[in-house]
Amino acid sequence: MMNEIDLLRRIGSAPQDDDLAEARARTLLAERIERELSAGGRKPKRLRLGITGAVAVAVVVALLTIPVVIGRGRGGVQFASAAEALNATARVAASQPSEAPAPGQYVYTRTEGVGVMISSSGDGSTTTSSGPFTQEFWLGTDGSGERRGTRDGEPYIVRFAPGDLSFDDYSNLPSDPGKLSDLIHSGGLGGGNHPSDAVCFQTIAETLEQGYVSPAVRSALYQVAAEISGVELEGNVTDHIGRQGVEVSYTHAGTRRGLIFDPSTSEVLEDNLSSGPAPSAGSSYTVFVESGVVGSIGERP
Amino acid sequence: MTHVMCWSLDPGSGASRTAVAICGKYSDEMRGATTDAEVVEASLVDPRAFGVLFDRHHRAVRHYLIRRIGGQAAEDLSADVFVTAFEHRHRYDLSRPNARPWLFGIATNLLRHCAREERTRLEAYLRRATAEAHVPEDVDQVEDRLDAERALPALIRALLELPQGDRDALLLHAWAELSYPDIAEALAIPIGTVRSRLHRARRSMRELLHSDAATTNETTKEA
């Protein structure tokens, strides 16, 4: 005599696979992922910011302040460690005045680089390629905005109605480095319940790249990064458009993430990824070319 | 640790002609060797990594939902499970390497909005089982098969009468083939509660089966 569980397994057994149904479900997920990529970068919904991680951008603040020169690029100060470079940059950030955009204004950012693209065909198969992109992004204080650019040579434009994006997600971040560190390491800014140091470094980098982060918070972010063990100093480097800065990196599971910044302004210059010990032909990178506060979409600093 | 190639910088493009898709096939290393937790963690950095979870678990989730509610509702719900999971992935407990219980938990939550579809599905099973129980297909059927065919209608009636929570636990065990700890994780209940729910559900079914058998015997004697 069969038991109840065996009997239950006879009911409605062995549904047929359905490639078409699976492809439809795959497409729905792909569209949802695409929306996240389009609307705000790589973070989960709760963490989505007005300006995206990958797309976003340096630093209104830095452009609006008088640089405190402590040395630039290959000819600048030689730091002994990543922590020293990050802490020095934190002090520069802290000295800068706050220049938040006023209501009705937009934060403009321009980025370019090489990104990984995944294309799907009708049968649900996917291929990857690495291609160049350029992008301009306007983010309004009301959460509206527009993104224009080219991706692998194809132009695109994405518009966001008021409220589609959110500008203020970082306005309440603690500027106290200890509190901010607790928040980041507890997963309060993303990365799940137990974010690894790699994810914390990623979170800090993306936050620094937002269009507007107050100087105090920027300073705290650099200080928290300085406390992460495993962040390496790459030294004085030149970014992909020839600017000189200091690079720190974190390598996780064979993937190296590099963050290049100008220690004289605290401005982030470039964010890059590679699967080897140093940037290679297969790398992805985003260069933060220009940013500033403008009065309307279409206007540039 | 394996390479997590889904770490990538990407400009994003809502209007690109090539749909940015989930990374179903672009990271063989990740597909083959990483845990679900590592995939979820990678997806926090690059959302496309989440596609690996789809490839690993969609079929099982879909099959389970087809058995529970069937038809287009099941197809829609199986897609919703992964979209919902994607949207809530930051809440995933990265200390749990296997995401299947979490996905079935999401499926269970979504099923709560499908009570009508589930009843319709079970009633269809009941009609079919009742018909088959009275029309033997083969004179050489073994005793187990006859037992099963006689018992199935009563079993399905018992399923229809079970409280939702008991039915969820029972079918996650029988149809999704989750272990007791996995059911506890899926339903976010203590494992002791899983045991008591399954015990209660199985007892209810047994009672109905015996009652049905007794009724059948009485009928046979009267005949």
Side-chain angles (χ1 to χ4, degrees):
Chain A
M1 178 75 179
M2 293 181 172
N3 69 29
E4 309 84 48
I5 300 299
D6 292 332
L7 284 170
L8 276 174
R9 288 180 175 143
R10 294 173 61 98
I11 300 172
S13 59
Q16 297 296 306
D17 290 335
D18 183 337
D19 290 341
L20 189 59
E22 184 174 323
R24 278 196 294 264
R26 184 188 296 272
T27 299
L28 283 173
L29 178 60
E31 288 173 355
R32 178 62 187 84
I33 291 172
E34 167 102 17
R35 278 207 305 281
E36 182 163 316
L37 287 166
S38 297
R42 299 150 292 185
K43 294 190 175 184
K45 189 174 184 181
R46 138 177 109 82
L47 303 170
R48 187 181 305 155
L49 303 175
I51 295 186
T52 80
V55 184
V57 187
V59 195
V60 175
V61 173
L63 294 176
L64 299 175
T65 58
I66 301 169
V68 178
V69 177
I70 62 171
R72 294 177 64 105
R74 295 185 189 283
V77 169
Q78 298 292 319
F79 294 104
S81 66
E84 184 181 307
L86 290 162
N87 282 322
T89 307
R91 288 192 291 276
V92 172
S95 69
Q96 297 170 332
S98 178
E99 295 284 354
Q105 290 187 309
Y106 293 81
V107 174
Y108 169 85
T109 54
R110 183 158 68 91
T111 55
E112 62 184 53
V114 171
V116 173
M117 287 172 289
I118 305 172
S119 304
S120 66
S121 58
D123 63 5
S125 63
T126 56
T127 57
T128 59
S129 60
S130 185
F133 69 90
T134 62
Q135 185 166 261
E136 293 180 291
F137 196 85
W138 289 264
L139 174 68
T141 54
D142 63 351
S144 64
E146 187 169 305
R147 176 183 292 177
R148 301 176 189 172
T150 60
R151 186 172 180 177
D152 209 17
E154 288 188 48
Y156 67 85
I157 182 165
V158 185
R159 296 186 176 89
F160 302 98
D164 281 356
L165 306 170
S166 111
F167 188 82
D168 293 323
D169 286 10
Y170 280 167
S171 60
N172 294 321
L173 283 186
S175 57
D176 176 80
K179 290 178 180 172
L180 186 58
S181 177
D182 289 345
L183 182 69
I184 290 170
H185 286 282
S186 67
L189 282 184
N193 294 331
H194 309 285
S196 63
D197 282 351
V199 173
C200 289
F201 182 70
Q202 162 85 15
T203 299
I204 291 167
E206 290 189 348
T207 309
L208 283 167
E209 293 157 12
Q210 301 309 303
Y212 179 75
V213 179
S214 74
V217 172
R218 291 174 54 72
S219 176
L221 286 164
Y222 277 113
Q223 290 176 71
V224 175
E227 296 299 316
I228 295 178
S229 60
V231 177
E232 301 285 342
L233 177 67
E234 302 291 343
N236 295 330
V237 299
T238 301
D239 73 9
H240 276 84
I241 58 172
R243 299 174 299 183
Q244 293 185 324
V246 169
E247 182 171 24
V248 296
S249 68
Y250 192 100
T251 300
H252 169 70
T255 299
R256 173 190 173 281
R257 179 180 204 94
L259 182 70
I260 302 175
F261 51 89
D262 183 343
S264 67
T265 64
S266 79
E267 179 180 1
V268 173
L269 304 178
E270 180 179 310
D271 191 356
N272 59 61
L273 286 171
S274 59
S275 55
S280 63
S283 308
S284 303
Y285 65 87
T286 297
V287 176
F288 306 101
V289 179
E290 184 181 20
S291 63
V293 175
V294 298
S296 62
I297 290 174
E299 186 181 341
R300 297 173 178 84
Chain B
M1 293 289 285
T2 57
H3 289 213
V4 181
M5 297 304 294
C6 287
W7 279 38
S8 63
L9 292 177
D10 189 283
S13 165
S16 172
R17 278 183 212 158
T18 51
V20 172
I22 51 185
C23 64
K25 294 185 170 54
Y26 92 91
S27 178
D28 289 339
E29 288 176 274
M30 168 175 279
R31 284 158 63 82
T34 56
T35 66
D36 291 345
E38 288 172 311
V39 171
V40 173
E41 186 176 19
S43 78
L44 296 167
V45 178
D46 185 336
R48 293 163 302 183
F50 202 81
V52 176
L53 276 197
F54 181 94
D55 288 343
R56 287 178 180 173
H57 301 296
H58 175 263
R59 191 158 293 181
V61 170
R62 176 179 172 271
H63 285 189
Y64 175 69
L65 292 171
I66 285 175
R67 289 176 94 167
R68 293 242 2 209
I69 57 174
Q72 190 58 45
E75 303 293 2
D76 293 345
L77 215 60
S78 72
D80 288 347
V81 166
F82 285 86
V83 171
T84 303
F86 174 76
E87 290 175 342
H88 293 86
R89 67 194 190 279
H90 59 280
R91 295 182 189 163
Y92 183 75
D93 182 350
L94 295 174
S95 67
R96 298 185 185 279
N98 180 12
R100 185 165 290 198
W102 175 60
L103 294 167
F104 275 100
I106 292 169
T108 302
N109 285 335
L110 294 175
L111 277 169
R112 293 194 178 124
H113 304 291
C114 302
R116 185 171 53 82
E117 288 85 350
E118 181 165 36
R119 173 162 285 276
T120 302
R121 184 70 163 172
L122 288 173
E123 288 170 348
Y125 288 144
L126 179 59
R127 283 194 298 277
R128 191 165 63 202
T130 304
E132 288 175 356
H134 292 97
V135 185
E137 295 172 356
D138 186 336
V139 292
D140 295 327
Q141 292 168 104
V142 297
E143 190 172 348
D144 272 357
R145 181 177 172 82
L146 288 169
D147 286 344
E149 289 180 345
R150 289 187 194 115
L152 275 177
L155 198 73
I156 296 166
R157 279 196 292 276
L159 267 183
L160 276 161
E161 292 174 12
L162 282 178
Q164 183 73 47
D166 292 3
R167 185 161 61 235
D168 288 339
L170 182 69
L171 295 182
L172 284 171
H173 181 56
W175 287 353
E177 302 193 344
L178 295 191
S179 66
Y180 282 28
D182 285 350
I183 295 169
E185 187 182 333
L187 300 180
I189 57 177
I191 194 165
T193 307
V194 173
R195 289 199 181 94
S196 64
R197 283 188 185 182
L198 285 171
H199 174 72
R200 194 166 53 220
R202 295 181 74 167
R203 190 182 60 201
S204 297
M205 286 193 298
R206 259 182 245 125
E207 286 171 359
L208 205 57
L209 285 174
H210 291 151
S211 163
D212 191 70
T215 305
T216 303
N217 288 338
E218 288 294 321
T219 307
T220 305
K221 282 178 189 172
E222 285 170 11

